[in-house]
Amino acid sequence: MSLIEINHVTFQYPGATVPSLSDVSLNIEKGDFIAIMGGNGSGKTTLCKLLNGLIPHYYVGDIEGEVIVDKMKTLESKVTDLSGSVGYVYQDFENQLVRAKVIEDASYSPLNFGYPDYLERGKKALEKVGLKGKDDEYIWELSGGQKHLLALAGAISLEPGILIVDEPVAQLDPQHAKALYDVLKWLNEKEQTTIIVIEHHTEFISEYCKNVVLMADSKLIWKKSVREGLTRINELRERQIYPPQITQAAYALTEKEDRTLPINLSEATEYFKSFNLTECFQPYLTPVPNHTGEKIVDIQQVDFSYKMISRQKKKILKDVSLTIHKGDRIALVGNNGAGKSTLMRLMTGIEKPEFGDVLLKNINTKGVAPESFADMVTYIYQNPEEMFIEDSIQADIEYFLKARKVKDYSETVEKIIDLFQLREIKDRDGRLLSGGQQRRASLAIGVAMQPSLILLDEPTANLDIGTRKHIAQFIQSLKNEAEAVIIATHDMQLVSEWANRIIVMKDGQIIHDGDRASVFSNKALLNSAGLTPPQIMELSQLLGTKLAYSIEEFVAYAQESKEEVTFDGYYKEAARVY
């Protein structure tokens, strides 16, 4: 018997017109490390909530079929019984943190199960995830990455045989994302924990997972080994799922879809050696920030702190100076806790600096109410549902214009609805839309305010790759809708393709201000800030070739090198014969 058996399960939420799962069957063996792929709304999360009994005991609905987990039939078992076997880290992991201090939260589950050694279990779990020594810290003092690891510690404190993690890297910087996956790998290999991840990032799947499941339209399409699954290029693309960049590049150059294609960096380095790519020395390039154009924001030697519960101050920003000019498209990058979101909130006037000054179009934010800058700055939150206050998208887009008594606003609203392709869903409540639809709607609401400056906090987080690409296209259009745009993001592909200026932060300070060449050519900077370039860039660096910012650039360069080798070889052979 498999550790997990799902037999012909169909499930439909109350009020839904179609099932979220349709005749799904799946077996998972003990010790597997399996990824579940699929677009937003394909049924991935619903499938996983079957395994710990949340469906149908908490999320009710019409259900058919059978689910057996660790020899327990979930329809007949209590969630408390199943939780001893199945740990779960949710996509909104911060909602799992229920106690004030780190050790209290990590040991909360074993305490509630009545284990006398609950504190030891909590400490052991903290050590496993790399949070040893953080016992007495308050959870709000942790960075986003540390909070994610704490949620993981709480899930493994009961030592479950099965661990489910919904989108492990969605809100994490590359450094913390790798750290979390390394913990999952250790649990899988050293403790034989069966790991199930819902994942959009195929680069992580190829590096860490053993098997992969593809879902689409509420159905399970197939379960295959990672190599076989990720080399089915055309089938994945048809479903808006993208294999690792190196796999796509190899396919584009050979047009052969088979299991010999590389799926990770070590394989790709060997694979592309035969292409004889020309070596190209690329020294670190000195940044040359653009100082032309009208000043939109002028930040002068700013410090910012907040008071902890101990009444001590925690410094978030240290002596930050920055000028934003008209025409800037800025990517604000750095690891979790670097100070990116705080810096953007200072630009809205919501937060005031402890020391120094923030000027928005020459108006000092000190002593001025934040609403005074509403015409000037729009802040689009990381969680887009926070932008919705009315019962329809159109009403939300109109809200600011109506409140400001803008004349003839209807024409502007219609233009924005078309610009962001919201015509079909304009009458729907934004809180009930899919993740990609919510992102589009939140961008539309921000643009409707007609600001000089648009600030976006992680606009592509929690989205499948196809939807991320779609949203990135809309972000490109923002340069025509505002004088300057700033995006705080961990999405390095978006950074490399969109930004004309990249600001790197670490520990509350700006450590670099330049363009993509100056950032991605500087390995010491990337390591210091915990940044990982897109995979195709990493490959070109490992091969010592010209730095490629996209798959298309790498493929074009590889084809050009091959033609040069062939051409040169032809004349050498001709000379020898002659």
Side-chain angles (χ1 to χ4, degrees):
M1 177 183 286
S2 300
L3 182 64
I4 296 170
E5 293 186 36
I6 301 173
N7 299 316
H8 301 288
V9 169
T10 296
F11 178 77
Q12 186 165 328
Y13 290 101
T17 56
V18 295
S20 292
L21 296 174
S22 181
D23 194 25
V24 169
S25 294
L26 173 67
N27 286 0
I28 298 176
E29 305 302 322
K30 180 177 175 59
D32 203 351
F33 195 142
I34 189 166
I36 302 177
M37 301 188 303
N40 291 106
S42 60
K44 305 183 300 297
T45 298
T46 301
L47 176 71
C48 287
K49 285 178 178 175
L50 289 173
L51 305 182
N52 65 352
L54 287 182
I55 293 175
H57 299 302
Y58 281 86
Y59 298 96
V60 298
D62 297 325
I63 188 166
E64 299 174 3
E66 181 182 54
V67 181
I68 302 172
V69 176
D70 199 11
K71 301 180 181 178
M72 291 180 282
K73 294 184 178 182
T74 62
L75 272 65
E76 301 171 4
S77 304
K78 296 179 181 179
V79 173
T80 51
D81 296 332
L82 291 162
S83 61
S85 295
V86 184
Y88 206 128
V89 181
Y90 298 93
Q91 186 175 332
D92 50 353
F93 57 87
E94 290 197 34
N95 290 337
Q96 291 181 249
L97 308 181
V98 295
R99 300 301 298 270
K101 288 189 174 182
V102 168
I103 185 60
E104 293 172 351
D105 199 85
S107 56
Y108 182 75
S109 292
L111 171 65
N112 278 272
F113 270 77
Y115 292 115
D117 61 341
Y118 66 92
L119 273 177
E120 287 74 15
R121 286 173 175 264
K123 287 178 180 291
K124 186 178 178 182
L126 289 175
E127 186 174 356
K128 287 178 182 177
V129 303
L131 291 179
K132 185 178 180 180
K134 299 284 185 182
D135 298 32
D136 294 322
E137 291 191 21
Y138 291 95
I139 61 172
W140 50 83
E141 295 173 3
L142 302 178
S143 70
Q146 290 171 329
K147 288 177 182 177
H148 208 157
L149 290 170
L150 177 56
L152 177 58
I156 66 174
S157 62
L158 292 175
E159 300 180 352
I162 301 164
L163 179 64
I164 303 168
V165 188
D166 193 343
E167 303 214 22
V169 306
Q171 299 183 44
L172 299 181
D173 62 74
Q175 191 176 58
H176 284 103
K178 185 180 184 303
L180 191 144
Y181 259 102
D182 285 341
V183 172
L184 297 180
K185 181 179 180 180
W186 185 90
L187 290 168
N188 179 249
E189 293 180 351
K190 302 299 182 183
E191 299 200 344
Q192 286 72 55
T193 306
T194 301
I195 307 291
I196 302 169
V197 293
I198 298 173
E199 187 57 87
H200 297 306
H201 297 79
T202 53
E203 286 85 357
F204 281 102
I205 294 174
S206 68
E207 290 286 348
Y208 290 92
C209 297
K210 300 173 183 175
N211 291 297
V212 61
V213 164
L214 176 64
M215 295 195 69
D217 303 322
S218 307
K219 297 179 180 179
L220 194 148
I221 308 302
W222 44 248
K223 172 190 170 185
K224 298 186 181 297
S225 70
V226 164
R227 177 168 300 282
E228 185 176 356
L230 294 186
T231 52
R232 298 172 75 92
I233 311 294
N234 292 316
E235 183 179 5
L236 294 178
R237 282 177 175 173
E238 286 172 5
R239 300 186 184 280
Q240 293 294 295
I241 298 169
Y242 294 85
Q245 288 186 318
I246 53 175
T247 311
Q248 294 183 64
Y251 173 71
L253 287 164
T254 61
E255 296 185 356
K256 293 180 180 178
E257 185 180 271
D258 58 41
R259 298 177 68 177
T260 64
L261 295 175
I263 63 171
N264 56 48
L265 276 171
S266 59
E267 291 179 3
T269 305
E270 289 298 316
Y271 184 88
F272 285 105
K273 280 183 179 178
S274 63
F275 283 73
N276 297 313
L277 299 177
T278 306
E279 291 189 5
C280 178
F281 175 67
Q282 294 172 313
Y284 160 60
L285 302 172
T286 304
V288 185
N290 177 17
H291 289 300
T292 61
E294 175 190 344
K295 286 184 181 180
I296 307 298
V297 181
D298 195 8
I299 298 173
Q300 304 170 352
Q301 296 179 305
V302 161
D303 283 11
F304 182 84
S305 305
Y306 69 80
K307 281 188 179 180
M308 299 186 291
I309 197 167
S310 63
R311 297 190 177 182
Q312 292 179 322
K313 285 187 176 181
K314 182 171 183 178
K315 186 78 76 174
I316 305 300
L317 298 176
K318 309 166 190 175
D319 194 26
V320 171
S321 294
L322 175 67
T323 304
I324 311 299
H325 300 273
K326 186 175 181 178
D328 278 344
R329 298 194 305 279
I330 295 174
L332 196 58
V333 301
N335 55 21
N336 292 99
K340 304 185 297 295
S341 296
T342 300
L343 182 60
M344 291 205 298
R345 285 198 298 271
L346 284 169
M347 296 184 205
T348 67
I350 294 172
E351 303 282 8
K352 310 295 182 183
E354 183 180 9
F355 299 106
D357 297 289
V358 177
L359 283 71
L360 301 178
K361 292 218 168 180
N362 297 318
I363 303 172
N364 199 314
T365 61
K366 287 182 178 176
V368 180
E371 55 266 28
S372 303
F373 300 108
D375 289 324
M376 199 179 302
V377 183
T378 288
Y379 184 94
I380 300 176
Y381 296 91
Q382 181 172 339
N383 299 316
E385 60 269 18
E386 295 179 30
M387 301 287 289
F388 307 130
I389 55 179
E390 297 286 347
D391 59 2
S392 75
I393 293 300
Q394 180 160 338
D396 277 316
I397 295 171
E398 293 172 345
Y399 182 84
F400 182 84
L401 300 174
K402 281 183 175 180
R404 295 286 172 169
K405 296 182 176 159
V406 175
K407 292 182 179 179
D408 303 322
Y409 65 83
S410 297
E411 185 177 335
T412 299
V413 171
E414 292 299 310
K415 173 191 167 186
I416 290 171
I417 286 173
D418 287 333
L419 177 64
F420 291 97
Q421 298 177 15
L422 297 168
R423 181 69 56 189
E424 293 183 3
I425 59 173
K426 67 183 180 68
D427 297 320
R428 293 178 60 186
D429 189 323
R431 286 156 292 220
L432 303 177
L433 299 176
S434 69
Q437 291 170 333
Q438 285 187 339
R439 290 289 179 196
R440 273 190 286 145
S442 66
L443 291 174
I445 293 166
V447 168
M449 298 178 185
Q450 300 177 315
S452 299
L453 175 66
I454 295 179
L455 308 171
L456 297 97
D457 199 349
E458 292 292 349
T460 59
N462 303 325
L463 300 177
D464 62 69
I465 304 301
T467 306
R468 280 168 58 199
K469 287 178 176 289
H470 196 205
I471 293 300
Q473 293 173 1
F474 290 112
I475 291 172
Q476 291 280 6
S477 70
L478 293 182
K479 63 186 179 183
N480 303 318
E481 305 299 330
E483 295 177 356
V485 182
I486 303 176
I487 297 177
T489 185
H490 299 310
D491 186 342
M492 292 297 107
Q493 194 61 46
L494 176 62
V495 170
S496 68
E497 294 178 357
W498 173 82
N500 62 9
R501 185 176 171 190
I502 303 172
I503 294 170
V504 184
M505 296 190 70
K506 180 184 179 183
D507 298 331
Q509 295 181 305
I510 293 172
I511 63 172
H512 187 91
D513 184 354
D515 59 14
R516 67 179 187 175
S518 70
V519 171
F520 292 116
S521 67
N522 189 344
K523 290 183 180 180
L525 172 68
L526 295 172
N527 292 334
S528 175
L531 301 176
T532 302
Q535 192 184 49
I536 204 70
M537 273 191 221
E538 286 192 277
L539 176 61
S540 57
Q541 288 173 333
L542 288 170
L543 294 172
T545 66
K546 182 179 178 181
L547 191 62
Y549 293 98
S550 66
I551 297 169
E552 291 75 19
E553 284 187 24
F554 182 86
V555 169
Y557 184 63
Q559 288 174 331
E560 180 183 309
S561 297
K562 189 174 182 180
E563 289 170 3
E564 287 177 359
V565 169
T566 303
F567 188 73
D568 187 46
Y570 170 80
Y571 276 99
K572 283 181 179 177
E573 178 65 15
R576 187 188 66 79
V577 173
Y578 180 78

